[in-house]
């Protein structure tokens, strides 16, 4: 047992034809000429400092309309209630906007905040930041978790967060020099937008020499962010061995679109040289000891567990297929006979091995793989040889199987263009899957798509659509609105039945679903749609527990899981941790522990490190309460912005059950059995349509019952509003918070 | 008849844990398998014989994302 492709992987690795991982098309732009065209709009100085026990006790505020640059205090209340990361981002954003603020208003902010643990170099996965803004897609706060060096370098320059407000009239960049203590806002008319070039040029421009490049990190979007609502942010780091920049993404919710709407091309940081104890923890020894334990565990166990160090998260492609969970053709099906063409052994071969693929220092899980030597076949960079970051599982599922594409090189090219154009791969995957199904069902045709034949598997049309969107042309402009707005756009023109569009458009709150099939797991349906920001799996991934292990038989069991896991996962975003080292490797004796699925030893590691950093001592209960404060605050923030109620937690039926007869037939045995066992009916006496309808009634009803149970467990009213008691108990009963819930609670 | 994660499964003579995992297509590498009260480690999947009427649990740890 173990990795099903393990033997094959070894064989292929032996026969691997190594690509030269330093070979790529060099950018020949004259950096000096670009810089000479910069016009300094504002420069100010600050005193760089290192954090003490994880905090610098100040944030940096920059207004790109007024050019104001100032320090923001980090108060004890902020630390106690909001911890850092996503908590700080939401708190700052709350005070910046009003219920009327739209994503494109100057008041909207982008806040980048690494948590108090961010920047540890001893424990794998400790370099994350969280980015928060009002999303163009959902019109509520979005939080997106991202690696790369920017967050830790910001912290080691002396800031717990960076808060950007306003809108510039011209294209600008912000440069924060944490070595010399200067911040500048510069007009930058000539730099190209696409991230793989822009980050490379700016790293070259702002590093003093070759050795200094590792101290530079660039936040940028790409040309698609100018022409769509789904633009994302790239965070760079310099890969010394490859001699090029690499990119990690804050993908979800269109934050790149907000950046470009502010006319910011890039935010560049030059941090100090990172040292092992730059965070100045209270107890360095415990952090070092805990880190060594996990490094050893990874080295010994990863090869027989998830093989993250070779394949990254793409190790689960064939596993998801085997469990009928891989999204195929807009989440209609869960597996496909051609999955072997995009399975992990392909990525094992295609990605360069034995390189340093950690997206922050000290991450021995090193899952940020790179596929080198890809010669592009389309678009503005046709013929260029490039390095592609990833692909991660979500990219293979989203850009591949969900669009019926089982061609590894095509997936790599889609992945490359998503990154450089600044497009979220998950969002693009679900959007494309939706339009391809619309094409399949005749809702779209060649006339409506400006000539594009959007058939399943047509990767050339997929790429062409992406190039169109990036450049604001053709049907690409429509697609860049996202699934939610497209449904309305199609319905307004009489294209297709609006009810069918609602069923197959995989979005909730305006955000597209990520790439897992939730139809057969009720808990996961809640894990997707009962989230704060929209259906991203980073709150709760419960499919195995629910569907395979049968550990959650009752609504209350599912509700308990939908209480614990979203809070546990929120805690990563408060502190600056990556979730992967928590559960993509597990200790040898994990099976002996109570609740082994929570990986108790790793939970203990995190609590120990939290204590060692801050000099405090917290329990699991304390941890859950820390998260619950921010989680409930975010729910109330959603309500303040016009969402966050029960109606907004509704899920599209495709995520809950079979929409079409073909979907039903593909799992007929399972569905017929459920009609007998769960509904007490006789499928043999029913037509296919009657069976599909019976399932819809049963599944929809179960979802409502789950919603009741989850809200009760979370301390919310049946309408999804946190109760006075819960708000008070959590200590977030600030007057402005109570003011939001008051009208709703007085109705109940 | 045996039960695997609460679902009934046809039993046959000589059946091993590995046979169950193969039949169920349980390919995930991080599993905790118990046969009755006994934990079965990965090295013993092929040797561990499953008696008729056995209760087998195959707990998949979480992953993904
Ligand atoms: S596990 Fe992967 S994504 Fe997480 S910090 Fe390490 S390299 Fe980055």
């Amino acid at each position: 047992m173990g990795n099903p492709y393990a033997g094959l992987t070894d064989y292929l690795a032996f026969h691997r034809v190594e690509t030269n991982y330093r070979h790529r098309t060099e950018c020949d732009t004259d950096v000096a000429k670009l810089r000479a065209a910069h016009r300094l709009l504002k420069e100010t100085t600050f005193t760089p400092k290192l954090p003490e026990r994880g905090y610098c006790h100040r944030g940096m505020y920059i207004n790109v309309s007024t050019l104001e640059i100032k320090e923001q205090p980090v108060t004890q209340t902020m630390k106690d209630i909001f911890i850092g990361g996503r908590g700080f981002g939401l708190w700052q954003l709350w005070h910046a906007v009003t219920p009327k603020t739209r994503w494109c208003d100057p008041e909207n902010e982008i806040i980048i905040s690494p948590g108090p643990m961010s920047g540890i170099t001893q424990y794998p996965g400790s370099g994350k930041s969280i980015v928060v803004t009002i999303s163009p897609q959902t019109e509520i706060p979005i939080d997106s978790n991202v690696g790369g060096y920017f967050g830790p370098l910001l912290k080691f320059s002396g800031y717990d967060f960076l808060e950007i407000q306003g809108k510039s009239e011209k294209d600008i960049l912000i440069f924060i020099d944490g070595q010399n203590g200067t911040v500048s806002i510069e007009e930058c008319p000539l730099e190209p937008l696409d991230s793989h070039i822009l980050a490379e040029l700016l790293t070259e421009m702002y590093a003093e020499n070759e050795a200094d490049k590792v101290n530079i990190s660039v936040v940028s979007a790409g040309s698609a962010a100018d022409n769509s609502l789904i633009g994302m942010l790239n965070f760079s780091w310099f890969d010394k061995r490859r001699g090029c920049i690499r990119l990690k993404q804050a993908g979800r919710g269109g934050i790149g679109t907000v950046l470009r709407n502010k006319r910011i091309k890039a935010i560049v940081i030059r941090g100090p040289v990172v040292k092992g104890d730059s965070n100045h923890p209270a107890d360095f020894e415990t952090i070092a000891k805990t880190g060594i334990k996990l490094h050893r565990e990874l080295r010994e166990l990863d090869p027989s567990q998830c093989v993250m160090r070779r394949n990254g998260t793409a190790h689960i492609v064939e596993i998801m297929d085997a469990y009928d969970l891989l999204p195929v053709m807009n989440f209609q099906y869960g597996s496909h006979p051609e999955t072997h063409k995009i399975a992990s052994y392909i990525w094992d071969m295609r990605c360069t091995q034995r390189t340093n693929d950690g997206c922050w220092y000290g991450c021995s899980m090193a899952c940020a793989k790179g596929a080198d030597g890809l010669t592009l076949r389309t678009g503005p960079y046709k013929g260029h040889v490039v390095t592609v970051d990833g692909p991660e599982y979500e990219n293979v599922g989203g850009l591949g199987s969900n669009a019926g594409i089982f061609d590894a090189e095509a997936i790599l090219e889609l992945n490359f263009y998503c990154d450089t154009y600044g497009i979220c791969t998950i969002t693009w995957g679900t959007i494309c899957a939706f339009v391809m199904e619309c094409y399949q069902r005749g809702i779209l045709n060649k006339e409506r798509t400006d000539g594009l034949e959007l058939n399943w598997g047509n990767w050339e049309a997929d790429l062409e659509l992406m190039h169109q969107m990036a450049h604001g042309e053709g049907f690409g402009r429509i697609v860049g609105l996202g699934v939610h707005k497209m449904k309305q756009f199609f319905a307004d023109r009489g294209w297709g039945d609006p009810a069918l569009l609602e069923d197959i458009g995989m979005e909730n709150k305006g955000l597209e679903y990520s790439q897992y099939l939730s139809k057969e797991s009720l808990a996961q349906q809640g894990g997707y749609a009962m989230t704060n920001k929209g259906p991203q799996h980073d709150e709760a991934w419960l499919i195995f527990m629910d569907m395979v292990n049968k550990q959650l038989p009752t609504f209350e069991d599912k509700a308990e899981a939908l209480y614990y896991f979203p809070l546990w996962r929120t805690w990563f975003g408060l502190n600056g941790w990556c979730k992967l080292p928590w559960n993509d490797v597990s200790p040898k004796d994990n099976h002996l522990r109570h609740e082994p699925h929570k990986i108790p030893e790793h939970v203990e590691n995190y609590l120990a490190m939290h204590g060692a950093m801050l000099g405090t001592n917290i329990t699991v209960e304390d941890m859950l309460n820390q998260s619950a404060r921010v989680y409930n605050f975010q729910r109330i923030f959603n309500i303040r912005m016009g969402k966050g109620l029960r109606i907004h937690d509704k899920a599209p039926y495709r995520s809950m059950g079979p929409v079409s007869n073909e979907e039903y037939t593909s799992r007929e045995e399972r569905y017929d059995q459920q009609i007998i066992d769960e509904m007490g009916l006789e499928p043999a006496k029913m037509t296919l349509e009657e069976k599909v309808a019976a399932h819809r009634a049963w599944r929809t009803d179960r979802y409502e019952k789950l919603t009741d149970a989850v809200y009760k467990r979370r301390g919310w009213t049946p309408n999804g509003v946190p109760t006075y008691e819960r708000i008070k108990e959590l200590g977030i009963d600030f007057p402005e918070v109570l003011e939001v819930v008051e009208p709703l609670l007085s109705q109940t | 008849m045996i039960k695997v994660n609460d679902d009934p499964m046809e039993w046959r003579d000589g059946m091993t844990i590995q046979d169950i995992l193969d039949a169920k297509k349980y390919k995930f590498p991080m599993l905790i398998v118990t046969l009755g009260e006994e934990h079965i480690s990965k090295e013993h999947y092929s040797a561990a014989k499953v008696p008729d009427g056995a209760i087998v649990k195959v707990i998949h740890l979480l992953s993904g994302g």
Side-chain angles (χ1 to χ4, degrees):
Chain A
M1 219 9 230
N3 174 6
Y5 288 92
L8 188 56
T9 300
D10 290 346
Y11 172 81
L12 290 167
F14 183 70
H15 292 275
R16 173 191 305 276
V17 180
E18 292 283 355
T19 50
N20 178 353
Y21 58 80
R22 291 187 73 94
H23 172 57
R24 65 191 62 80
T25 304
E26 295 299 331
C27 172
D28 57 6
T29 309
D30 183 348
V31 173
K33 192 172 148 206
L34 295 182
R35 191 155 199 186
H38 284 200
R39 195 164 75 87
L40 186 66
L41 301 175
K42 171 83 183 242
E43 186 172 50
T44 187
T45 59
F46 66 90
T47 311
K49 64 175 182 183
L50 289 171
E52 275 303 322
R53 298 189 175 195
Y55 288 104
C56 302
H57 297 101
R58 63 180 185 184
M60 182 187 286
Y61 171 89
I62 300 177
N63 190 312
V64 295
S65 301
T66 62
L67 305 182
E68 182 187 16
I69 301 175
K70 65 178 182 188
E71 276 182 16
Q72 295 280 59
V74 168
T75 61
Q76 194 59 41
T77 308
M78 283 172 72
K79 284 168 58 180
D80 292 344
I81 307 268
F82 295 96
I83 310 297
R86 175 167 149 197
F88 280 8
L90 289 166
W91 180 242
Q92 295 304 114
L93 188 63
W94 175 286
H95 292 103
V97 301
T98 72
K100 292 206 169 72
T101 304
R102 295 208 56 229
W103 70 273
C104 50
D105 289 336
E107 293 74 38
N108 191 19
E109 295 191 331
I110 296 173
I111 300 124
I112 302 172
S113 178
M117 306 298 139
S118 186
I120 292 175
T121 58
Q122 288 75 27
Y123 197 86
S126 308
K128 293 277 181 166
S129 318
I130 293 282
V131 192
V132 171
T133 192
I134 299 291
S135 157
Q137 291 192 267
T138 64
E139 297 278 1
I140 54 176
I142 187 88
D143 56 275
S144 202
N145 159 320
V146 59
Y149 288 9
F150 190 92
L153 293 180
L154 175 71
K155 184 168 278 288
F156 298 151
S157 298
Y159 292 94
D160 293 322
F161 60 86
L162 173 66
E163 179 180 0
I164 294 174
Q165 198 174 36
K167 259 168 111 160
S168 169
E169 281 173 9
K170 302 223 165 105
D171 279 337
I172 55 162
L173 66 76
I174 295 165
F175 175 50
I176 301 167
D177 188 339
Q179 292 190 22
N180 293 318
T182 59
V183 195
S184 54
I185 303 174
E186 302 170 24
E187 220 178 287
C188 55
L190 301 183
E191 275 80 353
L193 286 174
D194 291 342
S195 275
H196 80 292
I197 303 177
L198 180 60
E200 196 84 52
L201 290 171
L202 295 178
T203 301
E204 185 73 36
M205 189 181 291
Y206 288 101
E208 287 208 335
N209 50 46
E210 197 60 23
D212 194 31
K213 284 185 178 174
V214 292
N215 303 318
I216 303 284
S217 178
V218 179
V219 177
S220 58
S223 33
D226 279 18
N227 295 303
S228 75
L229 299 181
I230 64 169
M232 60 79 174
L233 295 182
N234 285 296
F235 280 50
S236 78
W237 90 94
F238 186 72
D239 181 336
K240 266 209 283 198
R241 192 147 182 248
R242 283 187 171 86
C244 69
I245 58 96
R246 307 283 306 283
L247 301 170
K248 289 296 277 185
Q249 292 77 31
R252 309 302 330 260
I255 310 176
T257 299
V258 180
L259 187 87
R260 286 301 300 144
N261 187 260
K262 294 183 178 304
R263 299 287 300 269
I264 300 171
K265 274 189 180 170
I267 310 165
V268 185
I269 192 150
R270 176 168 178 250
V273 174
V274 176
K275 301 211 176 83
D277 66 346
S278 293
N279 247 320
H280 290 154
D283 170 8
F284 178 79
E285 211 180 302
T286 297
I287 291 181
K289 220 169 59 195
T290 317
I292 288 168
K293 196 168 58 157
L294 189 66
H295 289 309
R296 193 179 305 130
E297 194 181 307
L298 269 163
R299 205 176 46 243
E300 287 172 6
L301 301 176
D302 180 62
S304 62
Q305 293 186 0
C306 293
V307 204
M308 291 287 285
R309 284 146 63 100
R310 292 190 71 89
N311 300 329
T313 56
H315 81 91
I316 56 173
V317 174
E318 60 270 24
I319 293 169
M320 290 301 107
D321 184 87
Y323 290 81
D324 216 8
L325 296 169
L326 187 73
V328 174
M329 298 174 181
N330 196 28
F331 303 90
Q332 293 185 73
Y333 312 108
S335 62
H336 194 277
E338 291 184 77
T339 298
H340 62 277
K341 294 181 181 168
I342 56 169
S344 64
Y345 72 90
I346 299 287
W347 308 115
D348 181 290
M349 271 199 306
R350 195 59 192 78
C351 292
T352 304
Q353 302 294 345
R354 296 185 295 278
T355 42
N356 178 12
D357 289 320
C359 73
W360 175 242
Y361 297 107
C363 187
S364 53
M365 187 162 254
C367 79
K369 307 307 297 177
D372 297 291
L374 178 76
T375 304
L376 298 170
R377 292 178 282 179
T378 71
Y381 307 111
K382 187 175 173 178
H384 287 201
V385 179
V386 296
T387 291
V388 189
D389 287 276
E392 298 179 27
Y393 163 75
E394 296 286 337
N395 307 357
V396 180
L399 305 175
S401 57
N402 216 4
I405 294 170
F406 295 90
D407 177 323
E409 295 295 296
I411 291 172
L412 282 178
E413 183 148 346
L414 284 159
N415 197 154
F416 168 80
Y417 273 113
C418 271
D419 288 352
T420 199
Y421 284 155
I423 303 167
C424 171
T425 49
I426 295 176
T427 304
W428 181 259
T430 301
I431 285 176
C432 243
F434 172 67
V435 293
M436 283 182 170
E437 185 170 353
C438 287
Y439 199 85
Q440 174 204 323
R441 298 189 185 283
I443 296 166
L444 292 175
N445 52 42
K446 260 171 89 168
E447 253 169 53
R448 293 172 182 174
T449 63
D450 295 328
L452 287 178
E453 292 182 32
L454 293 168
N455 298 308
W456 298 117
N458 188 351
W459 60 265
E460 281 158 309
D462 189 334
L463 273 160
E464 178 52 30
L465 188 59
M466 192 186 293
H467 297 314
Q468 282 186 4
M469 186 186 81
H471 302 109
E473 294 161 2
F475 188 61
R477 280 181 12 259
I478 311 302
V479 161
L481 297 172
V483 171
H484 180 75
K485 293 192 167 65
M486 256 194 292
K487 287 190 299 192
Q488 193 60 49
F489 184 90
F490 295 174
D492 287 349
R493 281 155 185 75
W495 299 356
D497 171 6
L500 178 64
L501 291 169
E502 285 303 325
D503 278 350
I504 66 173
M506 286 289 282
E507 60 90 15
N508 155 275
K509 301 181 181 75
L511 190 71
E512 288 75 11
Y513 272 66
S514 70
Q515 308 299 332
Y516 297 97
L517 217 68
S518 58
K519 267 182 239 188
E520 311 313 332
S521 165
L522 178 59
Q524 188 57 37
Q525 291 161 30
Y528 266 137
M530 293 174 208
T531 44
N532 269 326
K533 68 167 167 260
Q536 171 74 351
H537 54 279
D538 66 351
E539 278 203 10
W541 196 91
L542 302 174
I543 306 185
F544 280 166
M545 272 185 87
D546 189 32
M547 178 184 109
V548 186
N549 303 344
K550 311 274 168 56
Q551 287 171 293
L552 309 172
T554 66
F555 290 113
E556 287 67 32
D557 293 328
K558 293 181 209 304
E560 186 56 38
L562 285 168
Y563 176 78
Y564 176 85
F565 286 102
L567 296 185
W568 169 237
R569 297 288 295 270
T570 294
W571 206 59
F572 284 80
L574 303 184
N575 284 293
W577 276 318
C578 171
K579 150 292 157 194
L580 297 171
W582 159 52
N583 70 342
D584 277 273
V585 65
S586 85
K588 229 182 206 152
D589 60 357
N590 186 52
H591 62 280
L592 300 173
R593 301 293 304 267
H594 177 58
E595 299 188 313
H597 53 279
K598 291 182 180 172
I599 324 279
E601 185 177 314
H602 289 181
V603 175
E604 286 155 14
N605 286 352
Y606 286 110
L607 293 180
M609 285 196 304
H610 190 268
M613 176 62 75
L614 304 181
T616 54
N617 199 357
I618 66 164
T619 63
V620 170
E621 209 44 45
D622 298 331
M623 173 275 289
L624 291 177
N625 280 331
Q626 288 185 349
S627 294
R629 289 186 193 109
V630 175
Y631 195 86
N632 281 273
F633 180 78
Q634 189 167 355
R635 179 78 176 183
I636 295 166
F637 202 159
N638 284 353
I639 296 171
R640 183 180 182 227
M641 302 308 289
K643 290 190 179 168
L645 301 176
R646 187 175 186 124
I647 193 173
H648 306 111
D649 289 343
K650 259 174 64 107
Y653 188 65
R654 173 59 58 71
S655 75
M656 295 163 68
V659 171
S660 66
N661 290 352
E662 310 91 81
E663 278 169 88
Y664 191 100
T665 311
S666 73
R667 292 176 172 165
E668 193 158 24
E669 204 180 319
R670 179 205 296 246
Y671 291 153
D672 279 358
Q673 197 60 45
Q674 285 173 338
I675 288 183
I676 299 166
D677 297 343
E678 308 287 346
M679 301 169 225
L681 300 172
E682 293 179 61
K685 295 184 180 162
M686 298 164 80
T687 64
L688 188 51
E689 286 71 21
E690 283 168 345
K691 293 197 285 188
V692 171
H695 262 273
R696 183 185 282 259
W698 173 62
R699 285 166 184 258
T700 310
D701 179 57
R702 283 195 320 164
Y703 186 79
E704 291 304 321
K705 288 187 173 124
L706 177 71
T707 309
D708 288 336
V710 170
Y711 286 4
K712 193 167 166 215
R713 179 64 187 93
R714 290 181 180 175
W716 297 352
T717 68
N719 194 20
V721 183
T723 60
Y724 283 129
E725 296 71 36
R726 186 67 176 139
I727 293 170
K728 218 168 162 20
E729 177 186 46
L730 292 170
I732 52 169
D733 50 341
F734 309 110
E736 64 264 44
V737 166
L738 294 174
E739 200 181 299
V740 173
V741 293
E742 181 120 60
L744 292 155
L745 291 177
S746 59
Q747 289 166 11
T748 49
Chain B
M1 195 64 85
I2 59 169
K3 278 208 161 174
V4 180
N5 287 355
D6 295 342
D7 287 339
M9 186 175 177
E10 207 66 53
W11 176 82
R12 61 172 175 71
D13 198 17
M15 191 179 216
T16 65
I17 290 289
Q18 189 60 57
D19 293 334
I20 294 173
L21 301 181
D22 290 344
K24 289 277 200 183
K25 293 215 278 178
Y26 284 166
K27 293 185 170 197
F28 188 59
M30 295 203 294
L31 300 176
I32 299 176
V33 180
T34 52
L35 177 56
E37 296 293 301
E38 192 192 351
H39 172 254
I40 309 292
S41 57
K42 214 178 245 188
E43 316 78 86
H44 297 122
Y45 288 169
S46 300
K49 292 272 189 305
V50 180
D52 194 9
I55 306 283
V56 179
K57 294 266 183 212
V58 184
I59 298 300
H60 294 59
L61 297 180
L62 311 181
S63 187

